[in-house]
Amino acid sequence: MGYQPIENYGIIGDLNTVALVGLNGSIDFLCLPHFDSPTIFAALLDDKKGGFFSIQPVFQEMSTKQLYLPDTNVLLTRFLSEEGVGEITDFMPVEPLKNGTEVIRRITTIRGHVKYKMCCRPAFNYGQSGYDIKKVSENEFILSSKGDDKTQLRLQSSVALKADDGSITAEFTLAPNETGDFLLAYIDGHDRRDERALKEFVTKCLFATVNYWKDWIAQSTYQGRWLEMVNRSALVLKLLSSHQYGSIIAAPTFSLPETIGEKRNWDYRYTWIRDASFTVYTLLRLGYGKEAGNFINWVEKRCQDIKDNTRLGIMYSINGERQITESIIDNFEGYKQSAPVRIGNDAYRQLQLDIYGELMDAIYLYNKYEERISHDFWKAMAKQIDWLNDHWRDPDEGIWEVRGGKQNFLYSRLQCWVAFDRAIKLAEMRSFPYNPSWREQRDIIFKSIYNDYWDDKKKAFMQYPGAATVDASALLMPLIRFISPKDPKWLSTLQCIEKELISDSLVYRYRPDLAAPDGFISKEGTFTMCTFWYVECLSRSGQLEKARLYFEKMLGYANHLGLYSEQLGFRGEHLGNFPQAFSHLGLISAAYNLNKQLNNSRNKNVNHSI
């Protein structure tokens, strides 16, 4: 089949898992039944052995387009040719509308009499397990994994199917306005199959799913500029949240490379406390208190599970497990031969002190704007802040999860300051008792950042004391309200970041040649979320025209559906896992603040040079 560019995909999901659908009509990535379950389809990671589910017209020449039905996660893939026009509608019925985990694909001929070919070729358990095929009828097959996963799938269709060398295939022709339906269902041991009329069932599910998403996005309180992009990003964040557990994953994929052909390939199908906490800020801004509350409740359970004198993990599986041992899938060659293909993530063992600030800020904001937290939750968090009281000076791996050694990173210190600051504010807001040492430690950190991290020659806050470079994570300094966005020391730091890390409007996270070693020698792209942080720093400092120009230029780097991966390569290609929650919440935050600043009467008719 060959590899599609990462940006050639759209996503559908049911709030438990996500499928990636290519512009060519092929589902090339799907884990069932959960985000972190083994793959069923993974042609994205091995185009020969990974498995796929494709539907395509038999045209000599054609072009393709993809779009979402407005304000939904229902995806249309359109095939356009002189011979005819066909269209696939892809979606997954969403909790609580569904009977199980199901992928539904409806193919419709718009013009002409179009012949189609369908091929469903799973590769169970990361392609490591064979499978049996059982024919139920000419319209229904059961596919059963022979591996320990024991996964079973049911493929139903409105057209005749046949088994062909390990694949389920179909060839059929549809006249204008005729449809063909395919339903791929995960059999969970409590099979609820009925003798339903497939066409009526698909139609009913389609309307219910469209209405669900339209109703959900209508709850957003954001009505500012760039509304369509903000809504799309919100819909992505919702797709990356677990209906069952309330956790929020970083991205639905694993081992999509940060650099083609290199080894920086990680599994992001888990809940990072950092990423999810930032997502809570974003959800609260948009008025989605319920989703924010679901995550806060999930975190509360994690905190209550912690034994005395132990710390919060930096990341968890979606159901709250802390052990996420990393291993390599040898049978997959990796996206465009970018090996190794990793599942699990050994970063769970790391110390990343910044998570305390991000989480404490999320809890503080949730308590302030949505719902008061319980006393038991406060006691659990207070224990964690007490742990931080004794350990904030420890070097750690930092926000970028370097695997080459610990440092006293600026960003970690900043977030330790946030942790103490927000814990004190929350305690005083609620009259909770708290350790008086927190205030002392907060002020020590504050002074340390100004004294130890400031480089008087470069006139900038550096990545760590004595470092030769700045770090893009410093862009959060004014965003977390540590420093005024117009403070001279901050503006000179911003200028240094612009000089060292910014290419036009795109931002590198740090300079690997000068920064703390990360254990890997390779080039990397610009980080999408860092670019959005940069835009927000510009808007907060009053550089509105520049902020708006760079923001709108950055919107042009989204894929055809408004989706972003983690990084952008030299040619603007998408790199890393896709789509990335951090990228989309960064977009929402930048849009929210820039729109607010543009509406501020103080900024009207003010000329700020670019």
Side-chain angles (χ1 to χ4, degrees):
M1 288 175 57
Y3 291 99
Q4 295 277 304
I6 293 170
E7 61 266 27
N8 272 24
Y9 288 89
I11 61 168
I12 57 173
D14 66 352
L15 308 183
N16 286 307
T17 192
V18 158
L20 270 65
V21 186
L23 269 166
N24 61 355
S26 181
I27 295 178
D28 289 343
F29 188 91
L30 173 63
C31 300
L32 286 179
H34 300 294
F35 296 113
D36 55 358
S37 299
T39 53
I40 302 297
F41 306 122
L44 192 60
L45 296 170
D46 193 305
D47 66 338
K48 299 174 184 66
K49 296 183 291 186
F52 60 90
F53 182 6
S54 69
I55 304 174
Q56 290 183 327
V58 184
F59 291 148
Q60 289 188 343
E61 292 185 7
M62 67 177 174
S63 59
T64 58
K65 290 186 176 181
Q66 267 185 341
L67 65 148
Y68 283 108
L69 290 178
D71 291 336
T72 79
N73 282 311
V74 176
L75 183 66
L76 270 59
T77 304
R78 196 168 284 158
F79 306 96
L80 306 149
S81 170
E82 293 293 337
E83 302 167 64
V85 177
E87 187 174 87
I88 304 175
T89 302
D90 283 310
F91 66 99
M92 297 178 71
V94 182
E95 298 272 14
L97 307 173
K98 63 178 188 168
N99 293 318
T101 303
E102 298 169 323
V103 176
I104 295 178
R105 315 197 73 186
R106 167 167 281 181
I107 182 78
T108 306
T109 292
I110 308 300
R111 293 175 179 164
H113 286 71
V114 181
K115 181 180 179 181
Y116 300 92
K117 287 186 176 181
M118 184 283 297
C119 182
C120 179
R121 187 178 183 89
F124 289 94
N125 192 25
Y126 303 110
Q128 299 174 123
S129 301
Y131 54 95
D132 293 318
I133 299 175
K134 175 186 175 183
K135 183 176 181 179
V136 178
S137 70
E138 71 171 9
N139 298 99
E140 182 177 338
F141 281 80
I142 304 291
L143 301 101
S144 303
S145 172
K146 295 179 181 179
D148 294 337
D149 57 303
K150 303 297 183 186
T151 303
Q152 285 189 304
L153 303 176
R154 172 178 286 107
L155 180 62
Q156 292 174 272
S157 171
S158 61
V159 303
L161 303 171
K162 65 178 181 179
D164 182 12
D165 190 28
S167 302
I168 308 299
T169 63
E171 294 187 16
F172 55 99
T173 300
L174 299 175
N177 299 317
E178 288 185 340
T179 61
D181 293 319
F182 298 87
L183 187 151
L184 184 69
Y186 175 81
I187 301 173
D188 63 2
H190 302 282
D191 195 13
R192 294 172 289 272
R193 185 176 72 95
D194 52 27
E195 298 302 325
R196 58 199 176 196
L198 186 60
K199 183 175 182 179
E200 288 76 9
F201 176 78
V202 169
T203 301
K204 178 182 176 182
C205 282
L206 175 58
F207 280 104
T209 303
V210 167
N211 289 336
Y212 173 88
W213 288 115
K214 285 184 177 292
D215 290 345
W216 186 82
I217 204 66
Q219 298 169 36
S220 172
T221 56
Y222 185 81
Q223 297 297 323
R225 299 167 179 83
W226 316 290
L227 181 62
E228 187 173 344
M229 289 296 288
V230 169
N231 283 353
R232 177 51 52 201
S233 291
L235 287 161
V236 170
L237 295 180
K238 178 65 172 175
L239 274 183
L240 301 185
S241 59
S242 169
H243 174 85
Q244 183 175 355
Y245 299 108
S247 49
I248 303 166
I249 62 168
T253 59
F254 61 92
S255 276
L256 289 181
E258 296 179 11
T259 305
I260 302 298
E262 297 287 349
K263 299 179 179 180
R264 295 158 74 92
N265 316 315
W266 315 116
D267 190 344
Y268 277 13
R269 299 172 298 161
Y270 305 111
T271 297
W272 270 255
I273 295 296
R274 173 193 309 111
D275 301 41
S277 296
F278 276 112
T279 306
V280 168
Y281 312 160
T282 304
L283 292 170
L284 288 172
R285 274 180 167 172
L286 299 181
Y288 290 110
K290 178 182 177 182
E291 283 75 10
N294 290 340
F295 174 70
I296 294 295
N297 292 336
W298 181 87
V299 167
E300 183 173 359
K301 293 186 180 74
R302 305 290 77 75
C303 291
Q304 291 172 349
D305 290 342
I306 295 173
K307 296 178 182 178
D308 289 341
N309 300 320
T310 57
R311 61 181 173 87
L312 187 68
I314 71 160
M315 59 186 290
Y316 295 84
S317 68
I318 59 171
N319 66 358
E321 292 181 8
R322 190 162 176 172
Q323 306 293 317
I324 313 173
T325 304
E326 190 174 297
S327 60
I328 291 173
I329 303 297
D330 290 323
N331 55 300
F332 283 170
E333 69 176 17
Y335 177 79
K336 294 186 177 181
Q337 294 81 49
S338 300
V341 174
R342 293 184 175 91
I343 58 171
N345 198 312
D346 276 345
Y348 82 89
R349 307 174 190 270
Q350 290 188 355
L351 175 64
Q352 296 175 21
L353 294 171
D354 61 283
I355 65 169
Y356 291 96
E358 291 131 356
L359 178 58
M360 197 65 243
D361 204 10
I363 295 168
Y364 166 75
L365 293 169
Y366 182 77
N367 179 86
K368 182 176 181 179
Y369 293 110
E370 189 62 30
E371 185 175 320
R372 292 190 161 202
I373 66 168
S374 68
H375 179 239
D376 285 344
F377 189 16
W378 167 252
K379 289 195 297 182
M381 280 306 301
K383 287 182 179 179
Q384 290 301 303
I385 304 302
D386 281 338
W387 181 92
L388 188 66
N389 197 63
D390 298 328
H391 292 277
W392 66 262
R393 292 177 177 83
D394 297 349
D396 70 349
E397 280 88 0
I399 183 175
W400 306 128
E401 299 182 351
V402 297
R403 297 195 178 192
K406 298 178 180 179
Q407 291 285 349
N408 293 307
F409 288 109
L410 169 64
Y411 183 74
S412 297
R413 288 292 184 274
L414 285 166
Q415 289 293 353
C416 288
W417 176 85
V418 171
F420 289 119
D421 183 68
R422 303 311 192 264
I424 293 166
K425 284 182 167 65
L426 175 55
E428 292 180 345
M429 182 190 303
R430 295 287 303 279
S431 298
F432 286 144
Y434 67 92
N435 186 341
S437 178
W438 295 356
R439 188 179 295 275
E440 179 185 357
Q441 300 307 312
R442 182 193 67 177
D443 294 345
I444 290 172
I445 295 171
F446 187 90
K447 294 173 183 176
S448 171
I449 290 172
Y450 276 97
N451 293 331
D452 301 333
Y453 291 83
W454 176 257
D455 187 316
D456 208 41
K457 290 182 179 178
K458 286 207 169 191
K459 302 296 180 184
F461 293 100
M462 307 305 283
Q463 187 183 40
Y464 55 88
T469 184
V470 287
D471 188 313
S473 63
L475 290 165
L476 282 167
M477 292 181 76
L479 276 54
I480 61 175
R481 294 173 172 79
F482 178 85
I483 193 170
S484 165
K486 298 181 181 180
D487 187 296
K489 284 195 171 183
W490 167 248
L491 292 176
S492 64
T493 299
L494 183 59
Q495 288 178 351
C496 189
I497 291 173
E498 289 176 326
K499 180 181 178 181
E500 292 191 7
L501 301 180
I502 294 177
S503 172
D504 186 41
S505 60
L506 303 177
V507 182
Y508 293 94
R509 57 180 180 169
Y510 56 76
R511 287 183 58 184
D513 57 323
L514 295 178
D518 64 2
F520 295 90
I521 305 299
S522 65
K523 296 179 181 179
E524 66 176 25
T526 58
F527 266 62
T528 299
M529 62 180 175
C530 294
T531 300
F532 288 125
W533 293 346
Y534 175 47
V535 167
E536 190 164 348
C537 285
L538 291 174
S539 67
R540 287 175 181 265
S541 67
Q543 301 177 67
L544 296 185
E545 283 82 0
K546 187 175 180 179
R548 182 168 190 168
L549 173 65
Y550 285 177
F551 180 71
E552 291 177 341
K553 288 181 73 172
M554 188 59 192
L555 295 184
Y557 284 102
N559 84 341
H560 57 288
L561 296 167
L563 307 182
Y564 291 91
S565 64
E566 181 179 37
Q567 299 181 32
L568 293 171
F570 188 79
R571 297 179 293 108
E573 72 275 20
H574 287 224
L575 296 170
N577 288 303
F578 173 88
Q580 180 91 347
F582 232 151
S583 298
H584 286 277
L585 63 89
L587 183 154
I588 294 171
S589 183
Y592 183 94
N593 184 265
L594 182 54
N595 181 72
K596 180 180 177 182
Q597 297 288 346
L598 289 169
N599 287 342
N600 190 325
S601 60
R602 291 184 306 168
N603 296 322
K604 299 287 185 180
N605 301 317
V606 177
N607 181 33
H608 300 285
S609 62
I610 296 175

